[in-house]
Amino acid sequence: MKGGQPSKCRDCNQPIRWWRSAVREGGWLCVDYSPDDAGTVQRVPTRDPATRKAVMYGRDLSGMDLAAAVADGELLFQLHAHTCPKGRK
């Protein structure tokens, strides 16, 4: 299921989350279900302006943005493609 609800990776059966991409229109990010100290993906919670329902977006950080998020103690997540033991390389 997309939209932040837990689902399972079809390759390794681990729990994952699907978040909309905050930087690519129509894109999705597949992240590990739990936060990770080595994570690079920031949660960006928003509300749909039409429905007022919560919608979770994600932003893959690097450089100074990543350093700032780590310094601020933000919970960051790993892209599941980087951790899936059976993922496509």
Side-chain angles (χ1 to χ4, degrees), residues 1-8 16-18:
M1 284 170 62
K2 291 188 177 181
Q5 296 299 318
S7 58
K8 302 260 181 179
I16 56 174
R17 297 177 191 260
W18 285 100

Side-chain angles (χ1 to χ4, degrees), residues 25-81:
E25 184 70 30
W28 290 87
L29 297 174
C30 178
V31 298
D32 290 342
Y33 189 77
S34 299
D36 189 302
D37 288 340
T40 61
V41 181
Q42 177 185 51
R43 291 187 300 184
V44 184
T46 60
R47 291 225 175 257
D48 183 294
T51 65
R52 303 295 300 150
K53 290 185 179 181
V55 179
M56 190 61 68
Y57 282 79
R59 180 181 298 119
D60 194 17
L61 303 175
S62 62
M64 295 301 294
D65 291 333
L66 178 57
V70 170
D72 289 343
E74 285 192 50
L75 292 178
L76 299 174
F77 294 76
Q78 282 277 7
L79 289 169
H80 187 65

